[in-house]
Amino acid sequence: MKYMIMMFGSAGEMMDVKSPDWIREMIQFMRQLDVDLRDSGEMVFNAGLADGSSAKTVRLADGLPVATDGPYAEAKESLIGYWVLDVENEARILEIAGRIVEWSEVVEVRPVADAPPEV
Amino acid sequence: VTSDRRIESLLRELAPQALGALVRRHGQFDACEDAVQEALLAAALQWPKDGVPASPLGWLVTVGERRLTDEWRSDSARRRREEADAALDLVPGEPAADHDDALTLLFLCCHPSLSAPSQLALTLRAVGGLTTAEIARAFLIPEATMAQRISRAKQSIKAAGVAFDLPPPAERAERLRVVLQVLYLVFNEGYLHRADLTAEAIRLARLLHRLLLDEHEVAGLLALMLLTDARRAARTDPDGMPVPLAEQRRELWDAAQIAEGIALLTATLGRSAPGPYQLQAAIAAVHDEAASAEETDWPQILALYTVLEHVSPGPVVTLNRAVALAMVEGPAAGLAVLDTLRGDESMAHTHRLDAVRGHLLELAGELAAARECYRRAARMTRSVAEQQYLALRAAALPGDNVPKAGRSGV
């Protein structure tokens, strides 16, 4: 079963409140996690994202696409990384997400909807 | 395994020659390129079992030719009749080991009508002899995407009606500049992400240097690659974090590669006005020759950057000159140069200006301001490793009134 784990947070926020030791341990955890998930054969793909403050939002304005900088205001919690994993069951994905949330503010887990249609 | 590797490097070397021979004989770069890839694949399967044939190049050309005629035969009934006759005339190859073919191919794959990603991909496949799967892995994109990119690149070349010839003398300098740029991009891609691409870039630069011994910028580019890649083992710590030049363990640097780079450079310098690659290689050489960061000959580096800024001006060169100036005259002088880049559009969206400013402010003892710069840089970088590195630099500096050690482990 494929799931996406989405990790929310902010590099800026992290630099404000964390110690260098904490950051160093977090980095080691993230690297080791990727190694472990590749070794176990569960990693489909993953990526880290640039800080949310570099985002642009594209909206339709009078029927035309318009790109604006941001969202800055909500930069405290934006998507900063994701993993698509192919795991045995939901318990396993929740276990992995539980390890990640120790280092991140919020983690969202969602099934990837790639099952064949049953209709 | 050793002999497999020997076969692999032989195949990589023969790939552009086999392709050149086929294209000369049949035209149709597109079809010939596919045929050579299939011949390479067949060889990779067969040669380790049966041994390398007496004329490996002839073997590849013959098999490639057979694939081409198979392809043509299946095209249509009309073509089948024509080509079946033509196929009888094919002389199983003893093509001249024409090294110009590799050069012509390089110019073709780096044709200005192609986008940079297409130039890179096509060069690696047609000249480098890499498979689509290998190229896709190196660029971390799906194989189907890379296959499509290569196929479209070949269509663009076909549509542009490019002849399989060296560019005319009037265009040559400009076309060579593009080739060098493509090889340097391959190198940088490897330097940032995948070491095997770095090795491939160096191999292609060596090939180009062999073909164009008199082009000093080709020697300069090869020297630059060797002198930069020599530091690879020291550039990251065991956790994969980047280690800045000043803090690298220099005993890990590759002395043989440094010696080779310096020898290449020495052979060209002073023989004509140096170009940007020679100058950048010279700067890399000054760093590599210093036994410790403290012993770096910064006045020499500053002089080289000043020349480079004249020859090839640009904000990144100015940024580097600011660092050199700071090392010679103190951080205030470097920061003054950085101020001249404030309005530069190309610097507005990169982290580099803030990262360098942070470094110089830190040297000047303005720690809170340095911290702000590192934080801004961390928000802007496109590299997760660099983001983490800059976050660490920022966190290591005292902030205004922010608790530092707290909330460990959340």
Side-chain angles (χ1 to χ4, degrees), chain A residues 11-12 14-20 22-24 27-28 31 48-51 53-54 102 105, chain B residues 239-241 371 375 378-379 381 387-388 391-392 394-396 402-404 406-410:
Chain A
M14 178 180 77
M15 285 180 282
D16 280 342
V17 298
K18 305 298 188 210
S19 69
W22 186 93
I23 296 176
R24 210 167 276 127
I27 293 167
Q28 274 164 6
R31 285 176 203 278
L49 303 183
D51 191 72
S53 58
S54 62
E102 287 182 35
E105 303 295 318
Chain B
D239 292 330
M241 286 290 274
R371 185 167 181 275
R375 291 182 47 182
R379 288 209 187 92
T381 179
Q387 189 186 71
Q388 295 170 338
L392 262 179
V402 179
K404 284 242 353 283
R407 294 177 56 179
S408 157
V410 180

Side-chain angles (χ1 to χ4, degrees), chain B residues 42-284:
Chain B
L45 291 173
Q46 218 166 308
W47 294 5
K49 275 193 318 223
D50 305 346
V52 177
S55 165
L57 181 58
W59 192 98
L60 288 173
V61 172
T62 307
V63 173
E65 227 145 38
R66 216 173 281 148
R67 299 289 147 117
L68 266 183
T69 45
D70 286 352
E71 183 66 27
W72 285 329
R73 280 201 187 110
S74 63
D75 255 6
S76 72
R78 183 186 58 78
R79 287 205 62 160
R80 189 180 311 142
R81 277 195 303 278
E82 285 173 10
E83 300 301 340
D85 291 341
L88 297 175
D89 299 334
L90 292 179
V91 185
E94 231 23 74
D98 191 354
H99 287 284
D100 275 356
D101 281 349
L103 189 59
T104 309
L105 275 175
L106 262 176
F107 278 118
L108 189 69
C109 296
C110 302
H111 194 268
S113 68
L114 302 178
S115 69
S118 300
Q119 290 170 336
L120 262 67
L122 198 56
T123 300
L124 288 171
R125 200 170 117 126
V127 191
L130 269 66
T131 65
T132 303
E134 286 170 325
I135 302 167
R137 257 203 312 281
F139 286 93
L140 303 175
I141 65 175
E143 187 179 341
T145 308
M146 185 53 86
Q148 190 57 21
R149 188 179 293 176
I150 289 171
S151 149
R152 292 182 65 135
K154 290 200 287 188
Q155 279 162 22
S156 300
I157 285 190
K158 205 175 188 177
V162 188
F164 189 70
D165 268 319
L166 289 171
E171 290 172 24
R172 204 182 117 115
E174 176 54 24
R175 294 286 302 277
L176 181 61
R177 201 188 57 76
V178 179
V179 171
L180 293 180
Q181 196 182 335
V182 167
L183 296 189
Y184 195 40
L185 280 174
V186 173
F187 177 82
N188 277 324
E189 192 70 30
Y191 198 61
L192 298 172
H193 306 293
R194 299 276 307 219
D196 41 2
L197 270 190
T198 311
E200 185 57 23
I202 291 176
R203 196 181 73 84
L204 291 173
R206 271 191 210 285
L207 168 72
L208 188 60
H209 176 57
R210 260 205 318 276
L211 299 170
L212 298 173
L213 281 172
D214 291 335
E215 293 283 354
H216 294 167
E217 275 291 86
V218 178
L221 176 61
L222 177 55
L224 174 60
M225 289 179 179
L226 291 167
L227 291 165
T228 308
D229 184 57
R231 303 183 206 126
R232 177 153 34 102
R235 290 176 56 236
T236 44
D237 70 11
D239 292 330
M241 286 290 274
V243 181
L245 191 55
E247 291 161 32
Q248 289 179 11
R249 290 172 50 203
R250 294 179 182 228
E251 71 274 16
L252 297 178
W253 289 0
D254 186 330
Q257 219 167 299
I258 291 172
E260 190 190 351
I262 288 175
L264 268 167
L265 198 58
T266 320
T268 65
L269 279 181
R271 289 177 50 192
S272 60
Y277 290 114
Q278 282 165 286
L279 287 165
Q280 290 176 80
I283 291 162

Side-chain angles (χ1 to χ4, degrees), chain B residues 329-340:
Chain B
E329 292 182 12
L335 285 165
V337 173
L338 290 187
D339 281 341
T340 66

Side-chain angles (χ1 to χ4, degrees), chain A residues 30 33-34 37-38 43-48 81-85:
Chain A
M30 293 297 170
L33 179 70
D34 288 351
L37 292 173
R38 272 178 222 293
M43 179 81 87
V44 181
F45 57 85
N46 71 318
Y82 61 82
W83 295 258
V84 171
L85 305 175

